């Protein structure tokens, strides 16, 4: 999502707290009269984070955040995190984008960070979780996931930060991609594993990093098309174009997980979690075997993309009207419920999503 103070060399994966994610946590916890949906900091971290800013419960940023939450979708706090990470830089200053200058939340949140001692409170809170962050960085240093992405695809990944967040409730996750011109950057917020002491699981990270960088390099390559006969688009991300993008990114991530495990490129094989809403993901992963066998013909995944996308079985969208019809779907209340459930109970969410994919 943004031009952060990520590494100058995009081949290095950064592992660090993201101040904007933690700022969202502070704003929600200070202003919510309801139980927090996503943030549940506890212990020394939560106490230190809130103690320094508790006197600012009446700050305009707290009210702006609360108003946004009241009108939010089921996947809250994604909406607030998108706005904060897109419009604030790592120093919590508002970016010089027109949409950011118009953002009431970004402007008030930046003032809150400056006027309410948030940065000092975050620095103190971070001391209490230093061992967990060090452990995650050591795991990240074992193999450069972005270098593997470049090796496999022949394409350049974006600047990527894995942001372990002690403020997120266990089971929560959030990843965002921000484009600025031709470049893109990614923030992936990672919640703690359940139980004590505080720790973060590394195995799911590789799949997420490769999936999101897949979006970064592949989304623009998708040609307009119509869904295969019989596919209910509402069961696959509510629009066919998004269904295509998710399939391609997930097919890539699954194949890279297999490729890295077979070739011994990672000491610990990454998770190969499958998304039950993507019926063609394994077909797309398998099709990449052709790409691997003839890199002279297909030096990068960009050249292979048309052949690869054929595995979806999509129909050509020969007119603008046909493409528009492929995008038209009714809202799916069961999907919204399943998205909300995914944050708090991933196993139950997977069962709900599986049922949806069978409709």
């Amino acid at each position: 999502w943004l031009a952060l103070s990520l590494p100058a060399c995009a081949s290095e994966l950064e592992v660090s707290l993201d101040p904007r994610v933690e700022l969202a946590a502070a704003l929600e916890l200070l202003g919510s009269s309801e139980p927090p949906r996503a943030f549940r900091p506890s212990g020394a971290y939560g106490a230190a984070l809130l103690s320094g800013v508790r006197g600012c419960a009446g700050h305009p940023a707290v009210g702006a955040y609360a108003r946004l939450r009241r009108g939010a979708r089921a996947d809250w706090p994604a909406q607030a995190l998108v706005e904060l990470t897109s419009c604030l830089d790592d120093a919590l200053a508002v970016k010089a984008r027109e949409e950011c200058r118009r953002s009431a939340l970004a402007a008030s949140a930046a003032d809150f960070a400056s006027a309410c001692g948030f940065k000092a409170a975050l620095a103190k809170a971070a001391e209490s979780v230093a061992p967990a962050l060090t452990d995650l960085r050591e795991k990240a240093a074992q193999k450069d996931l972005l270098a593997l992405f470049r090796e496999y695809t022949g394409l350049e990944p974006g600047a990527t930060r894995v942001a372990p967040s002690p403020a997120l409730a266990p089971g929560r996750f959030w990843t965002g991609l921000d484009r600025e011109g031709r470049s893109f950057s990614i923030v992936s917020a990672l919640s703690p594993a359940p139980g004590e002491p505080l720790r973060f699981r590394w195995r799911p990270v590789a799949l997420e990093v490769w999936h999101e960088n897949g979006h970064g390099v592949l989304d623009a390559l998708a040609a307009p098309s119509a869904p295969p006969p019989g596919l209910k688009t509402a069961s696959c991300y509510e629009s066919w174009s998004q269904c295509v993008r998710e399939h391609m990114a997930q097919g890539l991530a699954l194949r890279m997980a297999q490729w890295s495990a077979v070739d011994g490129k990672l000491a610990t094989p990454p998770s190969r979690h499958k998304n039950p809403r993507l019926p063609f993901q394994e077909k797309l992963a398998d099709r990449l075997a052709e790409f691997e066998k003839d890199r002279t013909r297909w030096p990068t995944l960009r050249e292979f993309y048309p052949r690869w996308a054929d595995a979806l079985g999509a129909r050509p969208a020969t007119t603008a009207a046909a493409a528009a019809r492929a995008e038209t779907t009714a809202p799916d209340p069961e999907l919204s419920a399943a998205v909300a459930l995914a944050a708090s109970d991933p196993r139950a969410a997977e069962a709900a999503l599986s049922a949806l994919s069978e409709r």
Side-chain angles (χ1 to χ4, degrees):
W1 269 298
L2 14 110
L4 329 150
S5 61
L6 290 173
C9 176
S11 67
E12 297 178 11
L13 185 76
E14 181 181 359
V15 178
S16 64
L17 294 178
D18 189 298
R20 295 153 303 184
V21 175
E22 307 310 302
L23 177 58
L27 294 175
E28 178 153 326
L29 292 165
L30 282 176
S32 178
S33 58
E34 310 169 36
R37 299 185 193 179
F39 298 112
R40 205 182 303 156
S42 59
Y45 180 85
L49 183 67
L50 292 177
S51 65
V53 297
R54 202 173 294 279
C56 282
H59 190 278
V62 178
Y65 187 97
R67 286 190 295 275
L68 191 62
R69 177 182 170 173
R70 283 194 292 272
R73 304 181 304 264
D75 61 349
W76 183 263
Q79 184 179 349
L81 290 171
V82 166
E83 193 161 343
L84 289 175
T85 56
S86 295
C87 286
L88 297 182
D89 61 21
D90 235 25
L92 301 178
V94 179
K95 292 182 183 180
R97 294 179 178 176
E98 182 59 34
E99 65 271 22
C100 295
R101 288 195 291 266
R102 294 195 304 264
S103 168
L105 177 62
S108 59
D111 183 75
F112 175 94
S114 173
C116 297
F118 173 77
K119 295 176 187 178
L122 179 59
K124 184 176 180 181
E127 294 173 3
S128 68
V129 297
L133 299 183
T134 298
D135 176 66
L136 202 63
R137 289 191 187 106
E138 288 173 352
K139 290 172 181 171
Q142 292 174 8
K143 195 68 178 181
D144 188 339
L145 298 179
L146 299 184
L148 290 176
F149 182 89
R150 185 184 295 104
E151 177 185 345
Y152 188 85
T153 66
L155 301 171
E156 189 64 28
T160 304
R161 167 185 281 169
V162 174
S165 175
L168 279 173
R172 283 279 181 174
F173 58 91
W174 176 81
T175 302
L177 184 151
D178 185 61
R179 295 186 186 276
E180 196 159 12
R182 294 190 174 184
S183 64
F184 66 93
S185 52
I186 292 164
V187 175
S188 186
L190 184 66
S191 67
E196 298 288 343
L198 182 77
R199 62 190 178 88
F200 296 91
R201 293 191 178 119
W202 179 250
R203 279 198 70 202
V205 169
L207 202 70
E208 190 66 22
V209 166
W210 294 335
H211 178 106
E212 291 301 325
N213 274 282
H215 279 299
V217 300
L218 300 172
D219 282 1
L221 302 179
S225 63
L231 179 72
K232 292 186 177 180
T233 310
S235 68
C236 181
Y237 287 88
E238 300 189 358
S239 84
W240 174 240
S241 63
Q242 186 60 25
C243 184
V244 170
R245 291 190 288 265
E246 291 298 334
H247 265 101
M248 306 311 282
Q250 183 70 358
L252 171 62
L254 289 175
R255 187 66 187 185
M256 285 195 64
Q258 181 179 350
W259 166 78
S260 63
V262 170
D263 288 2
K265 296 180 182 294
L266 292 179
T268 303
S271 164
R272 291 192 81 246
H273 176 74
K274 293 173 186 147
N275 185 336
R277 298 190 69 77
L278 301 176
F280 311 116
Q281 61 193 314
E282 292 186 83
K283 203 181 277 190
L284 286 161
D286 292 343
R287 176 66 63 90
L288 285 169
E290 294 182 29
F291 170 68
E292 295 165 14
K293 288 176 182 175
D294 196 349
R295 294 298 295 271
T296 301
R297 181 179 180 186
W298 293 301
T300 78
L301 205 50
R302 185 178 289 112
E303 290 80 19
F304 185 69
Y305 188 94
R307 166 67 182 155
W308 183 30
D310 281 348
L312 286 168
R315 296 169 293 164
T318 54
T319 67
R325 284 196 298 273
E327 290 299 299
T328 303
T329 60
D332 187 338
E334 292 180 60
L335 170 61
S336 298
V339 168
L341 188 61
S344 57
D345 191 342
R347 289 186 180 178
E350 185 168 337
L353 292 170
S354 295
L356 273 171
S357 66
E358 292 168 2
R359 292 189 315 192

